[in-house]
Structure formats: structure tokens, C-alpha cells
Amino acid sequence: MTRAMTRLLIAGARVLDPATRADRVADVAVEGGLIAKIGPSLKAGAETTVIDGAGLALIPGLIDMRVSVGEPGAEHRETLKSAGRAAAAGGVTTMVVMPDTNPVIDDVSLVDFIKRRGAERAGVHVLPAAAMTKKLDGLMMTEMGLLTEAGAVLFSNGHAPVVDSRVLRRALSYASAFGALVAHRPEDPHLAKGGVMHEGELGARLGLPGIPAAAERIFAERDAALAELTGGRLLLDMISAAATLGPIRRAKAAGVALHASVSVHHLTLNELEVTDYRTFAKLSPPLRSEDDRRALVAALADGAIDVIVSGHDPRPPEEKRLPFDEAAFGASALETLLPAALSLHHNGEADLMDVLAALTCRPAALLKLPHGRIAEGAPADLVLVDLDAPFQFAADTMKSKCRNTPYDGRLMQGRVQRTLVSGVTVFDAAA
Amino acid sequence: MPQAGRFTHENGGPQGGIEHAPGPARLRHRHLLAIEDLSRAEAEALIGRARFFFPYVEGRVKKGDMLRGRTLINLFFENSTRTQSSFELAGKRMGADVVNMSVNPSSVAQGETLMDTAATLNAMAPDLLVVRHGSSGAAHLLARKVDCSVINAGDGTHEHPTQALLDALTIREALGRVEGLTVAICGDVLHSRVARSNVALLTLLGARVRLVAPPTLLPAGVRHWGADVFTDMKTGLVGADVVMMLRIQLERMQGGFVPSQREYFWHYGLDAEKLALTGRPSLVMHPGPMNRGVEIDSAVADDRAVSLIEKQVRMGVALRMAVLEALAAHGSNEGPAP
């Protein structure tokens, strides 16, 4: 790519590197797609483009470990290209795309397809997650070794939990030979069956069938035991309940290679969002109680939760403008990930560096990527963001093909001004 | 023993003392979607106003013209002979043009969504839309889409507000008051919109409400509803002035929620023996349709000395007339702006 030759100088921004917790005003020189130098008053060469960063924060590009795209099979929901545009606008420079497409990404050629299409069209890094089991059937393990070599960065069963404990045991065990990461969404499908929201008093009043927090906890306990048994690397993906934190903390204390992610929605919203049957707040796992939300925020600070994901799940109006129990789960979230997560900092609920780490260097560490940090020699995936200026988020400005967001009309802080991927500007708010 | 469901007209009806007759109820909201839309005063006004319509229900006054020129659409996505005909009769006796639309669930499966149906109906510019749908919140969704008043005639397992209002009216006519009475609501509370509406309304009106059900048929958080919860019917009925039985669908009784029909009837079915446990001359209600021999014994259901079940049906028309009148006062639908 020609972008390798681009020379840039981002001058005078507040440089925040969550990996080292460094926070200082500095210039950042970019060359060949990498961060060449960081320091005060760097000189711009003859062919260097200077970007004024004064008054803005420079953070590593976000790494979103859970993005659903409709390509292949449901391009009306989202393509890699439209998701890439949304990601760039949201400061996400790397997205891990889920395998629950049509066809399911369970084969080397399909991993190759995602990588190729992503590189051609998305503008941001696209990393394929491959299916843990063939066609996500929860029964037959995929060719994890070959898929890893083809470029699959993790193995997920999408929203379909692996019910057969023996299958999950073998997948974790087999994946450990390649050091591969297995991501599993813990939810007992029998307990959750028919549920459309958090099980509790509000759901009972609304007459909506609930998904008890125990459905998540039960599988989290089981999955943690299997991770311990096998030594495999396991990510408990998108947890939602306070009760799930117990098994996570116990496993981590025992040295099990267990990690956890949470969607930004579950850190910033609670079940009250579905009052009046608002289907844009119908998520899987469901938004839970305020007590659950607070526990998840606390777990982010103490390290029980490793990463924040968007859980991006674009749904067109015909899947959302329905009675609540018939409507699809999911929210379009790439563009709200950063400002929603930053609300935790602005509200005084979480430390700024903890929030940023969960969006950048911690997912990079799980994925073994050199990205997610601002250091000399690291990839120049960078985001200039106005951390403080408030703005009203408007769904009709979204770049995603679907605008099913629960944040429409919210006052937020943390607007992305510019996004660079390998030193190339892929989003510029002023443009 | 109080006289069950006797119509009295001392203060109401066209032939009654006009100077004491309560006027049409005034409601703040344009829709009636749930009991929480009503204040106590509004609920009492509707119940009080219903008396005015008793002569219409009894056939002594054949037809009024309060809703002449107004269009009422009955939109039923679930079969319900009694609720649909109750609204139809209420509308017709007030002179409204009533259109019944029973939407076959299969046409929904063919791709027409509730929102499409709402847009189609809205183009017909009705004044009142009565909707019954199998999904909780469906009436709320319609109300956001159409320009007329929407009355929830049952949405999923959420609410059925006119049923609760007619039940309160029935109780008041039979016992002279609602406040201070003990009402035991028994059966499948988990799946019952009637139970939710009745707990909300009877509590609002000052009754003491009890819920009696096996634990598997009680919703999560039910203990915060402001009702006393019992899983033993024998203790739950003691001292109850009114026993309100809920319908249980037969498919719930094949090992899913309760082990069998006979076990359910043994523990939670109402027969004369259990009714005697109240220790007082209690009255029996049921929103219908009944599963005889499953949740209620025929001997109790058909005993005119204790059963208000038939009265509930008659009260239903009068109460719905009061609701239609109140909501129609919010103005006629001039149709979408050109």
C-alpha cells in the first residue's frame, strides 16, 4: 500500500497511553504507518503533513472484540464497508467480526474471504472470528488449527451457547495447542428460553418473559470450571449480571486463563430503558438491574472484567418496529462505543485510563496484537477526540446501515475528531 | 348475603334523578393502555358513570347517540368472542359506526406487521381503536402510530384494563364498595393480564388484594406488587370477600408449570369446600372463558347466590360505554393532515 510512505506529525495533543498510563502533551510523528517518535516539539520535515492536536486528546484506536456484520448473507443489515465507515466514525480502528453470518464462518476459505473483503473495503482493520463449532451447531469442532493459521483471531459460537459441556471442553482443550482464544457467551438456553428482558419486577409488570441472571451465572460457573480443567484460554463474552462476577473472580484468583468482556450498554444502561416497550433497548444479554450495572462498573476497575465491546448488532426497522417480544435483539453500537464508555469517566464512575485500557491495550493483549498503545514502533492507529465538549447524539447522523441505538438524543461527551488507521486518516469530523 | 349484581338506578340513567347523576368521566390521557394511566379519581369516575348506561344494557333504552358519526374499530389479533362483542355492543348502543376486524395471525406471518396494519387503519381515520394482541406492549406500539384513541383490550400477559374496571364495577354493585374489601385473585397469575390490571386497580381503589398461585405461576418480583402472596389456597382464602379465579390454559398443565390437571384442581381449583374456607359469604368471579372442573367447579360457577360471573359480562358493556364516552370526548379524528 502507498500509505506506508505517508509522513505525519500530530502536534500538541494530550497523548493518553493506557498501556503505560502516560498522560502528557506531546507531538507524535508517524512514518510508514507506524508511530516513529513521541516527544515535545518534534520538527516537521519537508513532506510532512501536520495535524493540529491542540485541545484534543490522542488515544490509541479502539479494538472492538465483538462486532456483528451482515456480510456475507445479510448485507441489508451491514456490510464490511458500512461497518468500517461506522467504526472509523466511532474511533474503532480494529474490529473483530463475528462468525454468525450466512454462511457461518467455519471454513478456511470463508476466513480468507472476510480478511480480503475487510482489507479491500472496510478502511479499518478487520479481524475474523471463526466459528467454534461447524455451522454453530454446538456439536462438531471446527478446524481450529487451520483457521488460526488462516487468520482467525478467536473462536466464538456467536449468540448460540455451546450446551454440550463435552464439546466445549474439547474445543478449549484443542484450542490450547495453538494458544487460540475461545470466546463464549454464557447463557443457559433452557433457562433463558422465551425470555426477552431481564427477569425481575419490571419485566413482570410489563408482562414480558424474563431471562434470569442465573441463566448466565450457571454457564459462567461451568465454563470457568472447563477453562480450569483444560488450561484453554477462555473469554466469557458479554456478561451482564453481577452474579456472574463471582465465578470470574474465583477463576482469576486461581490463575485460570479466564477473561471477561462486557458491552458498553451494560455498563451505562439498565433495564428501565425498556419501559414503554422500547425495542431499541432489547439486547442479548438483556439490560439488567441498576445493581448489576454498578457491579459491572466496579468489576471494570478491579480487573474482573478485561474488555469493553460494542456488541454492534445492526437491525433494520422491520426487525425492530414490532411488538417487544417479536422484535430482534441488538443495537447498532460502533459509533456510540467511545462516548458511552467515556460517560463512565465523566460521571466519576470509572477512571479514564481504566476505561481506555479496556477499549485498547487490554483487547490487544488478549488478541496478541501490537496495536492499542501509543508507543514508538507501534502501529499508527490513532484517534483524536474531544474528550469534554458535550454534544447531542443523533441517530440520523449514523454511518451504520442501521440506526437502532438506545442512545438517540442523549447528551454525550467524547466526540471523535479524526481517526487514523496505519497513519492514514479514515475519518475526519471536519471533512 | 348481599344481593349479587343488582342494577340500581337511584342516581343514574336517563330516568333517574338527573341532578345527582355523575357526568361523563374526564380522562387526562387520550388512550387507555394500562391501569397506571388512570388516577383513582378517573377510575372512580368511569365506574360511577357506568351506572348511567345500565338502562341501555338492560334494553330499557334502546340506543343513544353520544357517539353518532364516530367510528370504532375493533382490531382483534386474538379470538375473543366476549370482549369483542362487548365493545361492539357498547359502541353500537351509543350510535357509533363499529367495524370489526379480526386479523388472522397467518396474515401476520405473511409479512404484514402490526405497524403496517396500524398505518392502514390510520388512513381510515377512526376515532376509537380497540385492540387485542398476543404481545405485551402491542397497544402501546399502536398508540404511538395512530392519531385516534387506543383502548387496550388485552396485550399479551401485560394488561386488560377494561376487564379490571368492569370487575371493580361488579364488586361495587354487589357489595356497595371496593375500598377495604379483601379480594383473592387465584390461579395463573404469571400469564394473566387480568391479574396485573386487577392488582393495579383494586389496590388503587383501596382494596386488599391477595394473590394465590403455585410458585411456578407467580411472576418474579410479585412480592413488590402491593398484594399479599399465598401459595396455599386454604390460607389465602381465609377472610376473602371476593374470590376471583383466573383462567389457566390447559397446555400449562402438562408438566410445564404444574404436574397435572387433577393436581392443579386439587390444590388450586375452586369448589364449594374451598369457598367455605373464606369463613364469610364470599362472592366468586371469573373473567371467562372458564375451564370448568379445572380452575372452577361448575357447582360454584353456576350458583347464582355466590357467582358474579354472568353479572360481569353485563357490567362489561356498561363500563365500556363509559370508557368510549370518556375517550371520545378527546375529539373526533379529522384524519391525517393533507
Side-chain angles (χ1 to χ4, degrees):
Chain A
M1 266 184 280
T2 55
R3 63 175 62 171
M5 294 310 295
T6 312
R7 285 183 193 179
L8 282 177
L9 185 68
I10 302 162
R14 175 186 173 194
V15 178
L16 294 163
D17 179 36
T20 56
R21 300 185 78 86
D23 176 356
R24 80 278 197 200
V25 173
D27 295 345
V28 175
V30 172
E31 201 173 322
L34 303 176
I35 296 169
K37 200 162 170 56
I38 305 167
S41 313
L42 298 183
K43 289 224 167 57
E47 287 171 19
T48 302
T49 308
V50 178
I51 297 168
D52 183 12
L56 300 175
L58 186 70
I59 61 171
L62 273 49
I63 298 169
D64 187 347
M65 289 184 69
R66 186 156 181 133
V67 175
S68 289
V69 176
E71 187 171 350
E75 285 81 358
H76 67 289
R77 285 175 52 201
E78 196 86 291
T79 59
L80 288 163
K81 187 176 176 180
S82 65
R85 273 203 307 265
V92 175
T93 53
T94 299
M95 50 184 188
V96 177
V97 297
M98 289 297 106
D100 45 356
T101 47
N102 183 17
V104 170
I105 309 303
D106 58 1
D107 187 89
V108 168
S109 63
L110 290 160
V111 167
D112 194 57
F113 169 81
I114 297 290
K115 277 182 64 184
R116 194 159 34 79
R117 293 283 272 202
E120 283 169 9
R121 302 189 173 211
V124 302
H125 304 297
V126 173
L127 303 178
M132 190 187 333
T133 58
K134 286 177 184 160
K135 299 193 192 321
L136 305 176
D137 65 2
L139 300 172
M140 294 278 287
M141 211 192 308
T142 52
E143 297 167 317
M144 290 186 174
L146 294 174
L147 290 164
T148 300
E149 284 174 28
V153 295
L154 59 82
F155 294 89
S156 166
N157 228 49
H159 282 291
V162 176
V163 180
D164 187 328
S165 304
R166 192 170 63 168
V167 172
L168 185 60
R169 176 200 180 162
R170 287 184 179 157
L172 277 165
S173 176
Y174 190 74
S176 68
F178 311 98
L181 180 66
V182 169
H184 189 241
R185 246 208 67 196
E187 185 174 89
D188 182 331
H190 300 298
L191 263 184
K193 190 176 178 184
V196 296
M197 70 171 288
H198 175 57
E199 181 175 292
E201 189 199 347
L202 179 67
R205 276 184 197 276
L206 292 172
L208 294 173
I211 301 172
E216 183 174 287
R217 178 189 164 185
I218 287 168
F219 264 36
E221 299 267 14
R222 178 200 71 162
D223 296 359
L226 292 175
E228 185 177 355
L229 180 66
T230 59
R233 297 173 66 216
L234 176 64
L235 173 70
L236 286 181
D237 210 2
M238 293 219 292
I239 65 160
S240 63
T244 308
L245 295 168
I248 293 172
R249 290 201 171 100
R250 284 198 298 278
K252 285 193 166 193
V256 177
L258 183 82
H259 308 280
S261 73
V262 64
S263 100
V264 70
H265 303 109
H266 294 86
L267 290 173
T268 57
L269 305 172
N270 65 31
E271 60 176 339
L272 293 176
E273 296 294 322
V274 308
T275 311
D276 290 335
Y277 302 96
R278 281 194 292 266
T279 58
F280 281 14
K282 180 178 175 181
L283 304 177
S284 178
L287 292 172
R288 296 201 182 271
S289 71
E290 177 64 7
D291 288 345
D292 288 300
R293 188 194 72 80
R294 284 167 188 247
L296 295 174
V297 172
L300 183 68
D302 70 25
I305 290 176
D306 299 84
V307 302
I308 303 173
V309 298
S310 72
H312 183 72
D313 198 352
R315 297 286 170 176
E318 63 268 24
E319 293 182 36
K320 277 292 189 181
R321 299 207 183 278
L322 292 170
F324 198 89
D325 60 353
E326 297 171 23
F329 292 97
S332 179
L334 279 164
E335 291 158 84
T336 47
L337 174 59
L338 180 59
L342 285 174
S343 72
L344 298 171
H345 153 65
H346 290 295
N347 296 342
E349 291 189 286
D351 174 71
L352 175 61
M353 283 296 183
D354 286 343
V355 172
L356 291 177
L359 293 164
T360 57
C361 59
R362 289 207 220 145
L366 280 181
L367 296 167
K368 300 177 180 168
L369 299 174
H371 306 68
R373 50 189 307 166
I374 300 183
E376 291 175 6
D381 290 0
L382 298 164
V383 178
L384 272 170
V385 56
D386 187 338
L387 283 182
D388 298 316
F391 67 100
Q392 188 172 29
F393 183 78
D396 58 13
T397 63
M398 288 170 75
K399 313 268 189 232
S400 168
K401 278 196 173 188
C402 296
R403 292 164 173 180
N404 52 308
T405 172
Y407 295 108
D408 188 25
R410 298 279 170 123
L411 274 183
M412 297 182 125
Q413 288 165 281
R415 184 174 241 171
V416 173
Q417 298 300 321
R418 184 188 285 264
T419 303
L420 298 110
V421 173
S422 304
V424 175
T425 297
V426 293
F427 173 77
D428 182 355
Chain B
M1 164 71 60
Q3 186 84 44
R6 183 168 50 87
F7 290 133
T8 52
H9 306 290
E10 300 88 69
N11 294 321
Q15 290 86 20
I18 299 297
E19 63 278 13
H20 298 298
R26 290 167 189 270
L27 304 180
R28 292 162 301 157
H29 294 298
R30 190 160 63 104
H31 309 296
L32 180 56
L33 304 177
I35 292 299
E36 67 180 11
D37 292 345
L38 299 174
S39 66
R40 178 169 181 169
E42 287 172 329
E44 283 174 346
L46 285 170
I47 293 165
R49 179 63 173 172
R51 283 187 158 201
F52 174 82
F53 294 107
F54 287 167
Y56 295 81
V57 177
E58 292 170 333
R60 288 195 282 120
V61 176
K62 282 302 175 196
K63 197 160 177 173
D65 59 359
M66 305 83 162
L67 295 183
R68 181 183 294 158
R70 302 295 183 92
T71 305
L72 165 70
I73 296 184
N74 266 329
L75 178 63
F76 277 62
F77 291 87
E78 281 183 346
N79 289 331
S80 166
T81 314
R82 71 178 60 207
T83 305
Q84 182 166 341
S85 51
S86 179
F87 273 106
E88 181 178 357
L89 219 52
K92 284 184 169 165
R93 289 198 167 148
M94 299 172 83
D97 298 315
V98 180
V99 180
N100 285 317
M101 299 185 61
S102 295
V103 183
N104 187 339
S106 70
S107 77
V108 178
Q110 281 161 19
E112 182 172 66
T113 66
L114 182 60
M115 298 300 265
D116 293 335
T117 309
T120 307
L121 289 178
N122 203 41
M124 299 176 189
D127 300 290
L128 296 152
L129 182 60
V130 175
V131 63
R132 156 82 52 107
H133 195 281
S135 294
S136 300
H140 289 71
L141 188 63
L142 269 179
R144 285 203 287 267
K145 186 76 183 177
V146 299
D147 300 315
C148 62
S149 290
V150 175
I151 300 164
N152 181 6
D155 63 327
T157 55
H158 176 229
E159 282 229 27
H160 190 359
T162 59
Q163 177 72 41
L165 286 162
L166 78 86
D167 287 341
L169 170 64
T170 308
I171 293 171
R172 209 197 64 176
E173 290 300 311
L175 297 173
R177 66 193 166 105
V178 174
E179 183 157 15
L181 295 180
T182 298
V183 180
I185 302 176
C186 310
D188 185 359
V189 177
L190 178 63
H191 299 98
S192 176
R193 51 196 174 209
V194 174
R196 281 169 180 73
S197 288
N198 261 307
V199 170
L201 181 66
L202 294 174
T203 310
L204 184 70
L205 296 177
R208 295 174 53 91
V209 180
R210 295 178 183 175
L211 293 169
V212 181
T216 47
L217 292 175
L218 286 169
V222 69
R223 282 166 209 284
H224 302 288
W225 283 14
D228 297 318
V229 180
F230 295 83
T231 53
D232 177 9
M233 194 168 182
K234 287 174 181 160
T235 52
L237 290 187
V238 174
D241 299 292
V242 175
V243 181
M244 187 182 291
M245 298 306 297
L246 300 172
R247 174 181 171 77
I248 181 161
Q249 289 180 14
L250 299 178
E251 63 265 25
R252 315 254 191 242
M253 274 179 293
Q254 283 141 18
F257 291 89
V258 287
S260 70
Q261 203 164 304
R262 72 172 187 177
E263 176 151 340
Y264 185 78
F265 186 72
W266 179 257
H267 290 286
Y268 298 98
L270 185 69
D271 54 16
E273 204 177 315
K274 285 210 196 72
L275 186 59
L277 293 171
T278 62
R280 57 179 70 193
S282 314
L283 298 174
V284 175
M285 300 175 75
H286 192 297
M290 287 181 280
N291 290 311
R292 290 166 180 270
V294 178
E295 71 248 358
I296 189 163
D297 188 43
S298 282
V300 173
D302 298 335
D303 181 352
R304 288 176 155 266
V306 299
S307 172
L308 296 175
I309 295 169
E310 242 177 77
K311 305 291 189 299
Q312 287 174 274
V313 178
R314 294 159 70 190
M315 296 289 172
V317 178
L319 185 280
R320 285 170 178 130
M321 289 174 83
V323 169
L324 295 177
E325 177 189 48
L327 292 178
H330 280 271
S332 68
N333 188 353
E334 307 297 336

